[in-house]
Amino acid sequence: MVVSRLRADTSNALHWLSSFRQLRAALIAVVCMFVAGCAHQAPVSRPSKPQAQNAHHNHGRAFRGYHHHAARYYGPRYYGPRRHDYSYHRPTTGEASEEAPPEKTTPTGAEAPNKPAIKGLVPVYFATNREVTGGPNLELKQITYDRSTTNTYGYVTVSIPIVHKMGEVETPKTYLYGIWTEAEQDGKHFRIQTLSKLSREEFASAIANPADSLMLFVHGYNVPFSDAAFKAAQIAFDANYKGRVMMYSWPSKGGMADYDYDRESALHATDGLFDLLKLIKTEANVSRIILIAHSLGSEVVLGALQQAALSQTALGITELIFAAPDVDRDLYLERANQIKAAAGAVTVYASSTDLALLASMKKAQSKSRMGYVTKSGPTLVSGIETIDVSAVGSEMFALNHSTYSTSRAVLDDIGRIISSSSHLKPPQRTPTLRSMPNELNATYWMYPY
């Protein structure tokens, strides 16, 4: 009896141990499949680091090649984006896109041609007072968030992925708290294809053309250099803008917790922007200048406009657009006359749902911000066109702080501003806007709910 019982207990123990081993093996197999799947997703390499062209030789040849390339496909003197152009054009200003253009084959039966990876290319000129380290060849990692007393000039070529949707800037996703980042791909992400440094003289010469207009974008808080280039390209591409595209990148640290550093950088950057605006007007002789300032970048613009007023310098800004401007209400009212004197027309996009501006207002113990709409309405200045975009706000990191570039309605309105040869009043360019408080006594406009 004892022996039989012992054999039974031993058999049960072995059976349990066998089941446990099978379960453990199954779990290990599942984990291995998951890890292997992650490891083999998107088998593409990261882009090679863009290299600068030789300042006096290769750059001129490269830009002549790019201008010839642009004229071939888009007509003479066209350097902007082609909104509905789905053909792939190999960049000629530097390194080619990582994915080669598809072969032109005739589909047979159910076979279909390969889709191109890139929807369009947008050259973006830049000036920055970020500290640039290293030698003459320029790489992205050399452009830091440290502050410099002088501007560095150059251009980048931004590729727009074939999957791009209006208002979006498609960038690689980060998973598991930054442990694993999606690999960059031409077909899925905005990417910098070329990056080159220019001397001040080469920069002025490259943008000099009185017949063309120029859109200058000044980014806001928490924006690295590359993201500023992507946003400038996205606005121009989505608005179907045909002129030259430029950005001024001041030393934002590029972190959500770095607002105080960014604010100090914005105050420090006014000299550099003022110098750039003088260069555009006097040395490059651009006839139509469109300046778009976002968020804390509006502080940079106001400082530059104050310098222009004090030095009695005419900057010749045709259109001045403030998108969600993060500027104290009292400072805005104090500088209003300088703003109006600097530009032919001024437009302010404000919102009551902008949580970033609300946080800034609370942090600074301010009554309101230039781009915030309180219960009593937006801050109004006679001669400045204010548009309440609260009704069309779309969430961006749950802060509603990029409505100007994510909402199709607002993008269309900006597109009409920057593409028109003469200024149109808000209800003329966007009839859906509602006059407030009424059509006879309109003091501002709003998108209807």
Side-chain angles (χ1 to χ4, degrees):
M1 289 286 292
V2 174
V3 174
S4 300
R5 180 64 178 270
L6 182 59
R7 289 177 177 174
D9 291 344
T10 302
S11 176
N12 291 336
L14 291 173
H15 179 74
W16 179 87
L17 181 61
S18 176
S19 299
F20 173 77
R21 288 175 174 172
Q22 290 176 4
L23 178 60
R24 186 181 65 173
L27 289 173
I28 291 173
V30 170
V31 171
C32 289
M33 290 172 63
F34 175 79
V35 172
C38 293
H40 290 86
Q41 287 187 29
V44 298
S45 59
R46 288 195 175 274
S48 56
K49 297 172 182 175
Q51 301 294 329
Q53 308 287 347
N54 181 278
H56 297 287
H57 177 69
N58 289 344
H59 169 71
R61 182 174 61 188
F63 252 77
R64 284 194 296 273
Y66 191 90
H67 291 175
H68 172 75
H69 162 85
R72 177 184 175 188
Y73 288 100
Y74 306 142
R77 294 187 179 180
Y78 177 75
Y79 312 107
R82 178 85 168 182
R83 179 168 173 181
H84 297 299
D85 180 14
Y86 293 91
S87 59
Y88 183 101
H89 304 317
R90 181 181 293 276
T92 58
T93 52
E95 296 179 8
S97 166
E98 186 157 333
E99 292 187 23
E103 297 293 332
K104 294 182 179 179
T105 57
T106 304
T108 57
E111 188 181 356
N114 294 328
K115 286 186 177 181
I118 292 177
K119 184 178 286 190
L121 294 169
V122 183
V124 179
Y125 294 89
F126 70 83
T128 180
N129 70 324
R130 294 173 182 265
E131 187 71 43
V132 178
T133 62
N137 291 335
L138 187 61
E139 297 180 3
L140 197 58
K141 65 180 180 181
Q142 296 174 247
I143 305 175
T144 72
Y145 56 76
D146 292 328
R147 301 162 187 150
S148 173
T149 56
T150 58
N151 284 337
T152 297
Y153 303 95
Y155 74 94
V156 298
T157 305
V158 177
S159 60
I160 313 294
I162 193 66
V163 298
H164 172 63
K165 295 180 181 178
M166 177 177 276
E168 298 289 334
V169 174
E170 291 84 1
T171 55
K173 297 178 181 179
T174 301
Y175 302 94
L176 300 177
Y177 303 100
I179 296 175
W180 174 56
T181 302
E182 183 184 16
E184 287 185 340
Q185 299 179 57
D186 280 344
K188 296 179 64 177
H189 310 124
F190 276 65
R191 293 182 66 190
I192 291 178
Q193 300 291 343
T194 62
L195 172 63
S196 295
K197 186 190 295 187
L198 303 175
S199 68
R200 182 186 179 96
E201 293 73 22
E202 290 171 332
F203 182 80
S205 176
I207 64 174
N209 192 331
D212 281 352
S213 68
L214 182 146
M215 185 196 87
L216 172 60
F217 173 65
V218 182
H219 63 79
Y221 145 71
N222 185 24
V223 179
F225 177 88
S226 57
D227 287 358
F230 294 159
K231 181 57 71 173
Q234 179 250 315
I235 295 170
F237 188 83
D238 288 348
N240 205 20
Y241 175 66
K242 297 294 193 298
R244 283 172 170 76
V245 183
M246 183 184 295
M247 69 167 180
Y248 183 72
S249 182
W250 50 275
S252 167
K253 202 169 185 178
M256 291 290 289
D258 299 317
Y259 182 84
D260 290 336
Y261 181 92
D262 281 15
R263 178 168 169 74
E264 295 298 317
S265 291
L267 296 174
H268 176 266
T270 57
D271 289 351
L273 179 60
F274 178 53
D275 185 63
L276 174 63
L277 289 169
K278 288 190 297 182
L279 181 153
I280 293 171
K281 183 59 181 176
T282 59
E283 297 178 44
N285 197 27
V286 176
S287 58
R288 178 172 168 77
I289 303 170
I290 301 151
L291 177 55
I292 302 177
H294 176 228
S295 177
L296 198 56
S298 302
E299 281 269 20
V300 185
V301 172
L302 257 62
L305 297 186
Q306 183 184 36
Q307 292 194 35
L310 293 174
S311 62
Q312 297 184 339
T313 303
L315 298 177
I317 299 171
T318 310
E319 296 278 354
L320 177 54
I321 300 171
F322 291 102
D326 186 4
V327 174
D328 180 79
R329 171 185 175 275
D330 294 336
L331 179 62
Y332 171 43
L333 295 175
E334 181 183 311
R335 303 279 179 85
N337 289 333
Q338 295 175 354
I339 295 171
K340 292 189 290 184
V346 185
T347 304
V348 174
Y349 293 101
S351 174
S352 63
T353 61
D354 195 319
L355 301 184
L357 287 182
L358 181 60
S360 174
M361 184 172 67
K362 297 296 183 183
K363 181 178 177 62
Q365 299 182 24
S366 173
K367 293 179 182 178
S368 185
R369 308 306 275 177
M370 182 179 172
Y372 191 71
V373 179
T374 63
K375 292 181 180 179
S376 59
T379 302
L380 301 178
V381 172
S382 177
I384 294 180
E385 296 173 354
T386 303
I387 301 176
D388 183 349
V389 300
S390 304
V392 296
S394 59
E395 285 202 347
M396 188 77 170
F397 304 115
L399 290 176
N400 298 347
H401 200 50
S402 296
T403 298
Y404 77 102
S405 63
T406 58
S407 165
R408 180 182 294 269
V410 179
L411 266 172
D412 284 345
D413 192 61
I414 291 177
R416 295 183 187 106
I417 291 176
I418 66 180
S419 299
S420 299
S421 57
S422 59
H423 181 74
L424 299 175
K425 288 287 185 180
Q428 293 176 310
R429 62 179 186 255
T430 305
T432 55
L433 289 173
R434 180 176 297 169
S435 301
M436 300 298 292
N438 55 60
E439 292 185 5
L440 296 177
N441 303 293
T443 56
Y444 72 100
W445 294 265
M446 67 179 294
Y447 283 92
Y449 283 91

